[in-house]
């Protein structure tokens, strides 16, 4: 892998990690909403927490696989 390919894949890995962290923060915020409210807001917070949590785990998994593959290629 040449230097240019490594830099471009580094940007992708950084973007994946940033997106995973943002989704985890949104999942935590939605969980707090589901704990502190009642009615439809509680339901929406619970569903949002589950969805953002799943997306965060998926993106973190992609980041891990790309990071590991880049480390093995070096």
């Amino acid at each position: 892998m040449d230097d240019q390919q490594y830099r471009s894949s580094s940007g992708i890995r950084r973007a994946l990690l940033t997106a995973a962290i943002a989704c985890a923060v949104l999942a935590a915020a939605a969980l707090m909403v589901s704990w502190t409210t009642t009615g439809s807001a509680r339901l929406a917070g619970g569903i949002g927490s589950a969805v953002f949590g799943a997306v965060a785990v998926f993106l973190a998994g992609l980041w891990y696989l790309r990071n590991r593959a880049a480390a093995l290629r070096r």
Side-chain angles (χ1 to χ4, degrees):
M1 173 185 303
D2 67 0
D3 193 45
Q4 181 64 23
Q5 287 176 329
Y6 180 76
R7 285 184 188 169
S8 66
S9 68
S10 176
I12 293 170
R13 290 193 314 264
R14 184 175 299 131
L16 280 172
L17 185 58
T18 302
I21 291 170
C23 285
V25 168
L26 289 172
L31 186 61
M32 293 301 292
V33 167
S34 75
W35 285 344
T36 58
T37 60
T38 60
S40 61
R42 184 176 191 151
L43 177 63
I47 292 171
S49 175
V51 169
F52 280 118
V55 171
V57 168
F58 176 73
L59 291 173
L62 285 178
W63 171 81
Y64 175 78
L65 290 176
R66 285 184 177 262
N67 211 30
R68 181 177 166 107
L72 291 175
R73 278 182 273 179
R74 279 192 242 165

